[in-house]
């Protein structure tokens, strides 16, 4: 597995040029360059984030009311409140997990995370310490990616799967960029609305309407980061008007569309997560 590197203003970012052996898993390597003392705002996206830190200095995550150091898991959509990440020359493999595979890989449902940030040790116990030690002993990023991918695959093989109907509904939300009529999903899979909403929430981590809103936001905010104007993004991304887009961006990030467009996390997404 070869890797490619990118020098962002605050991080050195490396990614594998071959995809994971599992669908729904993507990885990138981050090395802090000592230029983020105040931290950077993490931007919600439609996946569960897993950061396995192995450097000489810690990855630090500031969440509402708490601070975590080291390897973390962040639930789907990040939940309420601002999440900021900083480091002291940390190194980490960051993994984005589709909610379709997150339950099997993590050992808990995304719904159990409830959008919160938790220490990886709390979910994996000693295995979290072992993978950190193993990553620190591997000299190359391609070796680290291979090691991480093998671990994720082993956990996935023995983990719980998502109902086919729930997986189909999630893929419909993703493929429509959040614009699918969620009230019609139950009819399309042949379930009652109550059953689909309950299974979707328990297995994906969000109810269908909230999931669609997150996916739509993700598409829109990346267009803003690419330089598209807010009015055009609103009109072409399914928002009623520019004010509607503004409200969604503020609700998910705490800042305006003009501000969020310049966030470092979005600036490196097209390189770090080309399959996004």
């Amino acid at each position: 597995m070869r890797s490619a590197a990118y020098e962002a203003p605050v991080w050195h970012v490396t990614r594998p040029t071959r995809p994971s052996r599992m669908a729904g898993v993507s990885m990138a390597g981050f090395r802090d360059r000592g230029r983020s003392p105040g931290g950077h705002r993490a931007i919600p996206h439609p996946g569960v984030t897993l950061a396995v830190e192995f450097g000489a200095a810690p990855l630090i995550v500031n969440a509402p009311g708490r601070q975590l150091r080291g390897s973390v898991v962040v639930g789907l959509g990040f939940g309420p409140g601002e999440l900021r990440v900083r480091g002291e020359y940390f190194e980490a493999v960051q993994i984005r997990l589709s909610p379709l595979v997150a339950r099997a890989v993590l050992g808990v449902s995304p719904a159990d995370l409830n959008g919160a940030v938790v220490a990886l040790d709390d979910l994996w116990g000693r295995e979290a310490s072992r993978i950190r030690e193993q990553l620190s002993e591997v000299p190359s990023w391609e070796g680290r990616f291979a090691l991480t991918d093998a671990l994720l695959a082993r956990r996935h093989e023995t983990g719980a799967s998502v109902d086919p109907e729930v997986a189909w509904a999630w893929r419909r939300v993703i493929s429509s960029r959040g614009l699918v009529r969620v009230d019609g999903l139950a009819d399309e899979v042949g379930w009652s609305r109550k059953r689909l909403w309950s299974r979707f929430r328990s297995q994906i981590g969000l109810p269908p309407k909230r999931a669609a809103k997150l996916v739509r936001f993700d598409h829109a905010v990346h267009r803003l980061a690419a330089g598209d104007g807010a009015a055009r993004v609103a009109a072409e991304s399914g928002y009623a008007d520019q004010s509607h887009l503004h409200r969604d961006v503020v609700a998910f990030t705490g800042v305006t569309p003009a501000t969020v467009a310049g966030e470092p996390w979005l600036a490196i997404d097209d390189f770090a997560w080309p399959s996004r």
Side-chain angles (χ1 to χ4, degrees):
M1 183 181 290
R2 296 176 296 117
S3 58
Y6 171 73
E7 289 290 341
V10 293
W11 299 299
H12 176 84
V13 184
T14 306
R15 64 172 173 82
T17 56
R18 295 179 182 176
S20 168
R21 69 186 71 182
M22 292 187 301
V25 174
S26 54
M27 293 182 285
F30 284 73
R31 177 169 56 82
D32 181 63
R33 300 170 66 190
R35 302 180 184 179
S36 55
H40 295 285
R41 181 180 292 103
I43 306 300
H45 64 89
V48 176
T49 300
L50 169 59
V52 184
E53 175 269 325
F54 59 90
L59 170 70
I60 302 171
V61 179
N62 290 318
R66 64 188 308 211
Q67 182 184 91
L68 290 89
R69 290 173 173 258
S71 300
V72 297
V73 178
V74 186
L76 187 68
F78 293 6
E82 182 181 80
L83 195 69
R84 297 188 75 86
V85 178
R86 64 185 176 92
E88 300 164 359
Y89 295 97
F90 71 84
E91 290 185 277
V93 175
Q94 183 178 324
I95 304 110
R96 286 184 172 177
L97 299 172
S98 163
L100 299 184
V101 301
R103 180 167 67 162
V105 169
L106 296 177
V108 299
S109 169
D112 296 329
L113 300 174
N114 196 29
V117 54
V118 300
L120 183 61
D121 288 353
D122 292 342
L123 299 184
W124 286 4
R126 292 176 61 87
E127 190 168 34
S129 299
R130 285 197 297 269
I131 187 63
R132 183 186 186 281
E133 293 171 359
Q134 291 169 346
L135 286 172
S136 67
E137 295 170 354
V138 177
S140 67
W141 278 110
E142 55 264 37
R144 294 163 187 160
F145 291 135
L147 177 66
T148 304
D149 200 45
L151 170 63
L152 299 178
R154 287 197 303 271
R155 293 187 62 88
H156 183 262
E157 288 174 359
T158 59
S161 61
V162 170
D163 289 336
E165 293 84 355
V166 172
W168 185 90
W170 170 256
R171 293 189 181 106
R172 284 279 283 128
V173 172
I174 290 292
S175 64
S176 71
R177 293 176 174 171
L179 301 183
V180 66
R181 288 186 62 256
V182 295
D183 287 339
L185 290 176
D187 290 337
E188 293 182 37
V189 301
W191 281 4
S192 69
R193 185 183 185 277
K194 182 178 180 180
R195 184 182 185 188
L196 179 60
W197 259 237
S198 175
R199 294 287 184 89
F200 194 101
R201 170 69 178 84
S202 66
Q203 297 180 20
I204 298 299
L206 295 173
K209 187 173 182 179
R210 177 68 176 176
K213 185 176 182 179
L214 175 61
V215 171
R216 182 180 61 185
F217 158 81
D218 179 68
H219 172 68
V221 80
H222 280 92
R223 288 195 57 180
L224 292 171
D228 289 345
R232 180 179 179 183
V233 171
E236 296 179 359
S237 300
Y239 290 91
D241 51 33
Q242 190 172 336
S243 294
H244 185 194
L245 170 65
H246 182 99
R247 290 194 299 273
D248 256 21
V249 171
V250 171
F252 276 113
T253 68
V255 296
T256 66
T259 299
V260 78
E263 292 293 330
W265 284 108
L266 297 176
I268 58 90
D269 259 18
D270 285 340
F271 174 84
W273 319 108
S275 61
R276 177 183 55 80

